[in-house]
Amino acid sequence: MKKSLYGMYKKSKKKAKALLKKGTARPEDAKETSEVEEETEAKAIRTSENASASADTGKGDGLGDGDGDGEEDEAEDEWVDCGEEQEKEGSVRIDVRLEQRLKEYGVGPLVREQFLTGVESKLYRRKRKLMAIVGTFNVNGKVPGEDEKVDKWLMPQSEADIYVAGFQEVVPLTASNVLTDNFAIQPALLAWEIKLDQVLNGVSYEQSESMLVNGNLDFGARKYIPLVAKSMVGIYLTVWVSAALLPVITYKEIVSVSCGVMRVLGNKGSVGVRLRIYDTYLSFICVHLSSGESESDCARRHWDLGHIFQKSTLSETNSASSDMEVYNILDSDYCFLFGDLNFRLNAEENHIRKMIQDGSYLGLLETDQLRQGIAKGELLQGWQEGEITFPPTFKYTVGTDAYVGTEGDEVVGGNENSGSGSEKKPQKKRRPAWCDRILWKGSRNNVKPFGYNDVADIKISDHKPVFCGFMIGMHEYLDEELDKAIQQARRLADLKEMEGRPCLELPEQQFDFGVLTYNNKVTKTVKLLNTGNVDAHWHLSTAGDKPDWLDVHPVQGKVGVGAESDLRLAIHIEGGIGGSAGSIVGDVDVILVLSVAGSGDKFISIMGKYQMSCFGVSPEELTKRKPLSEERVDRVKEEYNGGTTSSQDPAEEIALQLKVVGEEIALELKLVGVPAFEAVPIVPLEVQNLCHFIETKGGFVMPSHETHFDDAIREAIDSDRCIPSHITSDAASLVLWEYLTSMHQPLLPKAVADVCSLCVPDSLASKLELLQNNMGKTDFATFLFLCKFFRSQRNGLTVDVLSKLLSR
């Protein structure tokens, strides 16, 4: 039956066009009655950008697309998104349900790409077909009579899978008619539901009433079952589905949007439903837009559509996570928009009536506001409509085929809500228009409309009912096969990832810098070889904080295919403010992490052993690392004196040397007599060794630019050996200068220098107290020792030079 009916409408296409060319028109000789439709509530509403739903502009061919038997095309289904405005370049678009399923499987971008491009969909998807009949009728507050020819509207002989009927003004639009879904309370809704049940299932009035009012649903006696029945004031949407189809409908969500006064009242707006049948989503949106013939009224209708699309949001539970996900009603594979859209004709009334009389519908449609808005890109981009071969559906004199205001019409009629014989009053004159429309959005290959027409024999309203049939390509996903397809995609993704993954090789990853000495920079090179098929982008980081003594260059870069690059590693242990010498003891060890984008991490191990030096280390820290033992002192004395040793304590030796300086006696006695210093080593042996050698060479000499640092001096004092005799005084003086400036903090604390820069204490006791309170024991003793040493020299050292040297 489906094939024959679809073929019948295809064959009737030529006949319909021929009638149009001949100018066949309906008689317009009846009287008109009053209308119930409200006046428009608002003026001059700017067109909302949301009125454009998306994608490409299109106009349906309507009758005769595809084969006459309604078979599906062999080509793969092409899904068209109803919500997005444009497809992003390079993106692959799939249907809503498959996107959900892939998300449930936890499929990432690469696996998704391989699934869509490397796995044939026929392996996991089964094609289905569905016939839907969609009808819209502004009933003007009327209920169907016993003999009303509703069967011509819904085409029950088509044996469709689903019937969708949208009503407007299903009850008079009065303030008290705020509806509920209870048919017993709303007689008008019940009357129409009973009529639909009778037409679709051939049951009696009593049987239908028993089911709809009392819930006595007898599946065995009915071929079609009511699935949706939702009203909002005068807008009513009802959906009946085949009982055989019911088990594969796994999701249903209804939403209504008000566009009336203050966007609260529901006299205008929409009622929509989103269904999942098999694994295909379908949305049906029944609308009643603002009325009126002015330009501002048309703008209001644009705004209504945008508001409806924006606010029609629904929720669905994610089966994998049990979370609620929000969707728009346009997030479906196929969307159907129908109802009293109220768009008018931008033409003079006499011209409109003349064109209708001549049957020039195609020319008249050029003035249609809806067609003009779509053509200009102002609304409903990507939506399609079947070919209109029927006359305007509004505004008729009730009970006739004549438009209101036709010549000879009395322009009076009974109250439309009170039935025949009631008091007559003048009826508003309106220009005829195609107010009642059915549009769809989806794949042009998988939606084939047929039979887009009105029903002239139904005359209870000032509108004519409109209907359209659709052959829709559906699909169903097979769970077991889908799981296998995704596993195959994962394997393909792994292979592709391996092929496209950078491969950066390091021939050597461990670097031993050996023995490291102070201020001696050592450099090594790391080779980076790209053996992969793509460029390798890399960057470096450290496992922990980056040490100050390590310098790496560069820290990031790119190695081309088949190319190699060098990475320079340098270790430089130096002193001074911010230097690292004072913090290193023994081994140095660090791990560099070389991260390759898209590949992983490689590790570079750096190791070495630092040879302890006094440089960069404060006297206090130096005596902790190398305590001033008798063995060390004896070794140095033996180097200088040829084996002569002394049993005196180092502190006592310093005291004896200072006694001959006159006023310094009190100073040295105070130093020796401080109880807290008695058991603490006084001056680092390295300092004593260096100063003693300078004295033997004639005293301290201010370093000049021509003087060079001699490592032999540093090696001698670090190893407690006698400084070679060939070393000059100026070379040894430079080493002492370098030592004092190599500490990470000056020997004289900043706190002391700050006080002295403001006011130097008068008495010696006050000076000593200031130093003792701000210096460690060894630093204090070393400071006094150096003061004595520099004052004993006859080298022209000034106070300014010494202050800069000791306090920086």
Side-chain angles (χ1 to χ4, degrees):
M1 178 63 76
K2 294 180 183 179
K3 294 182 180 180
S4 61
L5 182 73
Y6 183 75
M8 176 186 71
Y9 276 103
K10 180 182 178 184
K11 293 174 183 178
S12 67
K13 181 178 181 181
K14 293 183 179 180
K15 182 179 178 181
K17 289 186 175 181
L19 291 174
L20 287 175
K21 290 180 179 179
K22 291 180 180 179
T24 304
R26 292 182 180 155
E28 300 176 328
D29 54 359
K31 298 179 180 179
E32 68 174 349
T33 59
S34 63
E35 68 172 349
V36 175
E37 187 180 58
E38 291 187 341
E39 293 292 335
T40 182
E41 299 93 0
K43 300 289 184 179
I45 304 297
R46 173 177 290 183
T47 302
S48 171
E49 292 182 359
N50 291 322
S52 295
S54 68
D56 299 323
T57 305
K59 181 174 71 174
D61 187 78
L63 307 174
D65 280 350
D67 297 330
D69 59 1
E71 292 291 329
E72 285 192 52
D73 292 346
E74 292 300 325
E76 286 296 315
D77 296 351
E78 177 193 356
W79 179 68
V80 177
D81 185 3
C82 295
E84 295 296 329
E85 187 164 319
Q86 289 185 349
E87 180 178 356
K88 294 182 179 179
E89 184 178 354
S91 65
V92 180
R93 305 175 71 178
I94 61 178
D95 63 79
V96 180
R97 182 56 180 159
L98 183 56
E99 198 73 80
Q100 292 176 341
R101 297 297 299 272
L102 294 181
K103 187 175 181 180
E104 291 170 3
Y105 276 93
V107 171
L110 185 56
V111 177
R112 181 182 187 273
E113 178 185 353
Q114 294 304 307
F115 176 82
L116 297 176
T117 59
V119 181
E120 295 185 43
S121 61
K122 64 182 181 181
L123 297 177
Y124 57 84
R125 182 173 64 175
R126 178 181 298 162
K127 291 184 178 182
R128 299 285 189 177
K129 291 190 296 184
L130 180 141
M131 179 186 285
I133 303 297
V134 179
T136 177
F137 192 9
N138 185 324
V139 299
N140 201 14
K142 299 299 181 57
V143 295
E146 288 290 332
D147 301 327
E148 208 64 58
K149 301 183 185 301
V150 178
D151 54 338
K152 291 188 176 181
W153 176 43
L154 293 178
M155 299 191 299
Q157 72 276 15
S158 65
E159 297 185 1
D161 300 292
I162 181 170
Y163 289 91
V164 182
F167 296 91
Q168 304 83 44
E169 298 187 30
V170 74
V171 294
L173 298 182
T174 62
S176 61
N177 280 329
V178 179
L179 305 185
T180 66
D181 288 334
N182 191 330
F183 295 128
I185 297 176
Q186 302 300 335
L189 305 186
L190 178 60
W192 279 107
E193 285 293 314
I194 290 176
K195 191 66 175 179
L196 295 178
D197 192 16
Q198 289 177 309
V199 169
L200 295 176
N201 293 309
V203 297
S204 66
Y205 183 92
E206 290 74 18
Q207 288 176 314
S208 181
E209 185 180 37
S210 175
M211 179 192 72
L212 295 171
V213 177
N214 301 322
N216 298 325
L217 183 59
D218 183 2
F219 283 95
R222 283 178 169 78
K223 185 175 181 179
Y224 293 97
I225 308 300
L227 179 69
V228 175
K230 175 65 177 178
S231 64
M232 183 182 71
V233 189
I235 306 171
Y236 182 53
L237 176 65
T238 178
V239 179
W240 292 68
V241 299
S242 167
L245 190 67
L246 201 58
V248 297
I249 302 177
T250 54
Y251 167 80
K252 177 188 73 175
E253 192 73 23
I254 303 171
V255 61
S256 57
V257 178
S258 299
C259 293
V261 177
M262 298 180 66
R263 288 179 290 178
V264 175
L265 299 185
N267 56 310
K268 295 293 188 294
S270 69
V271 176
V273 62
R274 184 171 182 257
L275 305 174
R276 185 169 73 225
I277 304 177
Y278 299 112
D279 283 306
T280 306
Y281 280 91
L282 294 91
S283 290
F284 298 94
I285 312 167
C286 176
V287 302
H288 191 186
L289 307 184
S290 299
S291 60
E293 298 182 340
S294 70
E295 184 177 346
S296 62
D297 294 328
C298 182
R300 174 65 186 229
R301 288 187 281 274
H302 285 219
W303 181 91
D304 286 347
L305 282 173
H307 182 67
I308 288 169
F309 291 153
Q310 184 183 30
K311 297 300 182 181
S312 293
T313 56
L314 316 98
S315 60
E316 182 176 358
T317 302
N318 185 309
S319 58
S321 62
S322 299
D323 295 332
M324 295 297 291
E325 297 185 357
V326 177
Y327 292 89
N328 189 278
I329 199 167
L330 298 178
D331 294 330
S332 293
D333 301 289
Y334 307 106
C335 299
F336 298 88
L337 176 71
F338 51 96
D340 183 359
L341 275 66
N342 253 322
F343 284 101
R344 308 305 171 89
L345 299 175
N346 290 329
E348 295 293 333
E349 182 174 353
N350 292 336
H351 175 72
I352 294 173
R353 294 182 185 274
K354 178 66 168 57
M355 295 284 279
I356 295 173
Q357 185 177 358
D358 294 340
S360 301
Y361 302 149
L362 295 178
L364 196 56
L365 279 167
E366 294 179 0
T367 68
D368 176 60
Q369 292 176 343
L370 178 58
R371 293 284 180 95
Q372 290 177 342
I374 293 176
K376 293 177 181 178
E378 295 175 347
L379 77 166
L380 296 179
Q381 297 301 286
W383 290 79
Q384 304 175 72
E385 184 180 20
E387 184 176 356
I388 294 179
T389 60
F390 50 90
T393 58
F394 172 82
K395 166 178 178 58
Y396 285 91
T397 299
V398 176
T400 74
D401 285 326
Y403 293 103
V404 171
T406 303
E407 186 177 350
D409 191 358
E410 299 178 3
V411 199
V412 295
N415 187 326
E416 294 175 284
N417 302 321
S418 58
S420 61
S422 60
E423 181 183 354
K424 298 200 173 185
K425 62 180 181 181
Q427 187 166 257
K428 294 180 181 179
K429 189 176 181 180
R430 290 286 187 266
R431 288 178 290 180
W434 282 282
C435 292
D436 308 281
R437 313 288 276 270
I438 300 174
L439 299 93
W440 80 93
K441 187 176 178 66
S443 169
R444 194 67 184 91
N445 294 330
N446 287 326
V447 177
K448 294 181 172 60
F450 63 92
Y452 191 25
N453 212 337
D454 70 347
V455 183
D457 293 342
I458 299 179
K459 306 176 182 180
I460 61 173
S461 173
D462 54 355
H463 290 253
K464 294 296 182 184
V466 174
F467 65 91
C468 187
F470 296 94
M471 295 297 298
I472 306 172
M474 310 284 284
H475 53 265
E476 176 184 16
Y477 294 112
L478 310 176
D479 291 341
E480 185 175 345
E481 287 75 5
L482 181 61
D483 182 72
K484 292 179 180 178
I486 291 176
Q487 295 307 317
Q488 180 183 350
R490 293 189 191 278
R491 291 190 292 272
L492 292 173
D494 289 342
L495 291 175
K496 189 172 182 64
E497 188 175 16
M498 291 298 295
E499 293 175 358
R501 180 178 294 177
C503 186
L504 196 62
E505 297 293 337
L506 280 69
E508 186 179 1
Q509 293 183 242
Q510 291 189 349
F511 295 87
D512 189 349
F513 282 73
V515 177
L516 300 166
T517 57
Y518 175 80
N519 208 28
N520 184 23
K521 189 174 184 178
V522 182
T523 302
K524 289 184 178 293
T525 301
V526 183
K527 290 290 184 182
L528 307 179
L529 307 177
N530 186 351
T531 59
N533 299 319
V534 296
D535 293 344
H537 296 263
W538 60 272
H539 70 274
L540 277 175
S541 59
T542 57
D545 296 333
K546 178 183 176 298
D548 296 332
W549 45 264
L550 178 64
D551 180 50
V552 182
H553 183 80
V555 295
Q556 62 182 10
K558 180 185 78 171
V559 184
V561 177
E564 67 176 54
S565 183
D566 291 342
L567 176 65
R568 181 179 60 82
L569 307 177
I571 295 181
H572 187 196
I573 301 174
E574 55 187 342
I577 297 175
S580 55
S583 59
I584 298 179
V585 179
D587 296 339
V588 295
D589 187 13
V590 69
I591 300 294
L592 296 182
V593 182
L594 189 143
S595 301
V596 183
S599 177
D601 296 338
K602 296 183 179 297
F603 301 95
I604 301 173
S605 175
I606 298 173
M607 63 192 75
K609 187 175 183 61
Y610 179 54
Q611 182 175 296
M612 173 65 187
S613 174
C614 63
F615 284 82
V617 184
S618 68
E620 198 81 27
E621 181 65 24
L622 185 58
T623 53
K624 291 180 182 178
R625 298 184 187 183
K626 297 175 67 176
L628 189 62
S629 63
E630 290 186 9
E631 180 182 355
R632 292 183 61 205
V633 172
D634 290 343
R635 183 165 58 249
V636 173
K637 286 183 177 182
E638 185 176 357
E639 287 273 344
Y640 281 112
N641 303 326
T644 305
T645 60
S646 172
S647 61
Q648 289 180 301
D649 183 80
E652 294 176 356
E653 288 187 278
I654 295 174
L656 292 173
Q657 293 174 9
L658 296 180
K659 285 178 182 177
V660 299
V661 190
E663 185 181 354
E664 295 295 326
I665 294 176
L667 174 63
E668 194 52 43
L669 288 176
K670 195 169 186 64
L671 170 65
V672 174
V674 176
F677 294 132
E678 289 180 358
V680 179
I682 305 302
V683 178
L685 185 58
E686 292 85 350
V687 176
Q688 297 182 58
N689 187 352
L690 185 57
C691 290
H692 174 77
F693 179 82
I694 293 173
E695 285 182 336
T696 62
K697 288 292 183 176
F700 183 85
V701 178
M702 280 292 294
S704 65
H705 294 295
E706 287 80 19
T707 309
H708 298 287
F709 189 93
D710 195 329
D711 283 327
I713 304 174
R714 179 185 56 77
E715 293 173 0
I717 62 177
D718 281 338
S719 57
D720 295 337
R721 291 186 291 107
C722 177
I723 298 174
S725 59
H726 69 274
I727 301 295
T728 62
S729 176
D730 57 344
S733 299
L734 175 63
V735 172
L736 177 60
W737 187 284
E738 288 289 338
Y739 167 73
L740 294 175
T741 56
S742 71
M743 302 178 199
H744 64 280
Q745 290 183 352
L747 182 61
L748 187 66
K750 185 177 184 300
V752 175
D754 290 343
V755 171
C756 293
S757 66
L758 297 175
C759 179
V760 178
D762 294 332
S763 66
L764 179 61
S766 298
K767 296 175 182 177
L768 292 175
E769 183 180 4
L770 176 63
L771 292 172
Q772 288 178 356
N773 290 339
N774 290 278
M775 299 178 70
K777 296 176 182 179
T778 304
D779 287 348
F780 178 52
T782 303
F783 178 78
L784 295 178
F785 178 85
L786 289 172
C787 286
K788 173 261 175 187
F789 171 76
F790 285 121
R791 292 189 65 176
S792 68
Q793 306 300 308
R794 299 294 183 266
N795 49 21
L797 277 174
T798 65
V799 174
D800 289 339
V801 173
L802 286 176
S803 65
K804 291 178 180 178
L805 177 64
L806 299 177
S807 67
R808 276 181 277 172

